[in-house]
Amino acid sequence: MAPDAKQTVFWRVDKNCPDPEVIRQAGHILRRGGLVAFPTETVYGLGANALDGRAVESIFTAKGRPRDNPLIVHIADTGMVYRYTRSVPERALLLMRRFWPGPLTLVLPGNGRIPREVSAGLDSLAFRMPDHPVALALIREAGVPLAAPSANLSGRPSPTTARHVYSDLNGRIDAILDGGPAGMGVESTVLDVTGDVPVVLRPGGVTPDQIRETAGAVVLDGSLSLAGPPPRRPRSPGMKYRHYAPAAPLVLVEGDGVRVVEEIKRLAADYARRGKKVGVLCRAGNRDKYAGVLAVPAGGACDHASVAAVLYDALRRFEGTGVDVILAEGVQPEGLGLAVANRLRRAAGRIIKVD
Ligand code: AMP
Ligand code: MG
């Protein structure tokens, strides 16, 4: 069947007290091999029964996702981790105790019981317990772990509202549960705990400092540094794909706050002279500094959480505006800012450093 031949049901649910009848019907769809989008505390996920290879396969078709980019297994109790892994290191257990439910995905050695479509043929599996009453109720009702990537068309900014999901996937999936805006706005931290020292493969809601406090040590995967090209063989397959792509090419300007604004004004004038329509993605307090261009505010200068919460929505707001280029203010890669800076860098076609 063509991926866009489905009738997509849209259900509004109360975040803290989801209607049990809606959850029952959504769980039924999942058990018979369908796809259901659901809210989490990071972004919206697109779930399928992780034990059903054909259902998992249809996630890749619906999203247009490359087959070699594995999915995260979403669980509602830690027993599900033990059922599908070869071993769980002590360090992983400590991390689960501290951060689950929450935005930390742990990569562990699989035991072969989860179909290979989920892990794209890797021996390892990625697990996460979402901190969202609707997601947890849905997994419990389905009675199986859910393989779930973000519920967007592949390559587009991740969805932080049910409306984003609808605009990307209506007609391609069976149901959408609308539980209001996702809280954090950026995806989970992906942490490989199969080796001696945990490795951050993707920065996210749980910071390296928080991980270090619990696990003793942590390193960032080499691909996360700005120096040098990305590795040929990324340890997290998703790293090699361009992500979070907005409607127009994005030029990211990083560095000291005052100089970033000056450089963006200079670039904007330059583009305007060449007849290009310019959009600017900026801190809310800087909006008035960009006269004559479409400036979309995204959070406060000193508050990374406020930027994370609206970043993807802001990128989507440039769609349909006819801008030829988006100039974006960088954020300091500290704390949660590491995740935001990573998403901006991966959305960018060009990065300019001004200090
Ligand atoms: P998404 O589902 O869009 O949030 O992306 C999930 C991320 O987790 C991607 O970057 C995947 O490459 C990564 N991932 C999933 N499973 C594994 C695994 N077994 N090993 C390493 N990375 C993984
Ligand atoms: Mg994604």
Side-chain angles (χ1 to χ4, degrees), residues 34-340:
L35 301 180
V36 177
F38 58 95
T40 81
E41 84 283 25
T42 58
V43 301
Y44 271 71
L46 177 62
N49 176 358
L51 306 181
D52 176 346
R54 281 184 60 180
V56 173
E57 170 66 29
S58 69
I59 288 181
F60 290 90
T61 308
K63 282 187 55 122
R65 182 174 172 106
R67 291 318 199 251
D68 61 351
N69 190 6
L71 308 176
I72 294 170
V73 179
H74 288 65
I75 54 165
D77 66 87
T78 45
M80 283 184 171
V81 175
Y82 288 91
R83 210 165 305 140
Y84 303 109
T85 51
R86 245 187 354 257
S87 60
V88 178
E90 172 70 17
R91 208 183 302 114
L93 191 59
L94 294 175
L95 289 163
M96 285 179 208
R97 283 204 193 115
R98 170 149 180 218
F99 296 109
W100 282 7
L104 179 67
T105 295
L106 296 174
V107 174
L108 290 159
N111 65 6
R113 286 202 210 153
I114 296 256
R116 50 184 292 112
E117 285 84 353
V118 174
S119 61
L122 296 174
D123 292 335
S124 57
L125 277 173
F127 289 93
R128 172 167 121 77
M129 190 189 292
D131 188 12
H132 196 292
V134 176
L136 291 172
L138 183 65
I139 300 166
R140 286 196 189 105
E141 176 66 31
V144 289
L146 299 184
S150 51
N152 51 295
L153 283 176
S154 193
R156 305 236 317 125
S158 296
T160 53
T161 66
R163 183 176 286 275
H164 296 160
V165 180
Y166 183 86
S167 78
D168 276 16
L169 298 177
N170 181 38
R172 293 174 162 251
I173 64 177
D174 296 286
I176 300 171
L177 296 178
D178 178 359
M184 299 203 76
V186 290
E187 301 85 343
S188 61
T189 303
V190 178
L191 187 72
D192 183 346
V193 283
T194 57
D196 289 340
V197 177
V199 183
V200 174
L201 302 180
R202 175 178 76 182
V206 173
T207 65
D209 283 343
Q210 289 176 304
I211 294 167
R212 193 173 298 107
E213 281 166 21
T214 302
V218 66
V219 293
L220 298 187
D221 187 82
S223 67
L224 298 176
S225 114
L226 250 194
R232 286 243 188 96
R233 278 175 146 269
R235 292 178 62 181
S236 184
M239 288 172 177
K240 69 173 186 251
Y241 296 106
R242 181 146 184 264
H243 270 40
Y244 324 114
L250 187 141
V251 178
L252 176 63
V253 183
E254 292 188 327
D256 164 73
V258 176
R259 296 189 59 194
V260 163
V261 172
E262 278 167 11
E263 177 66 7
I264 290 182
K265 282 167 128 177
R266 197 190 63 74
L267 287 167
D270 208 42
Y271 278 110
R273 221 173 293 124
R274 287 186 273 143
K276 305 277 187 210
K277 185 167 176 193
V278 178
V280 172
L281 183 71
C282 62
R283 300 296 86 74
N286 286 346
R287 194 179 188 180
D288 295 342
K289 296 180 182 158
Y290 303 107
V293 299
L294 175 71
V296 172
C302 308
D303 179 3
H304 294 315
S306 71
V307 183
V310 297
L311 177 68
Y312 291 136
D313 185 62
L315 288 177
R316 283 177 182 255
R317 278 172 57 189
F318 287 107
E319 284 161 16
T321 62
V323 296
D324 299 301
V325 62
I326 300 167
L327 306 175
E329 295 179 354
V331 300
Q332 293 300 319
E334 291 150 8
L336 187 58
L338 184 67
V340 178

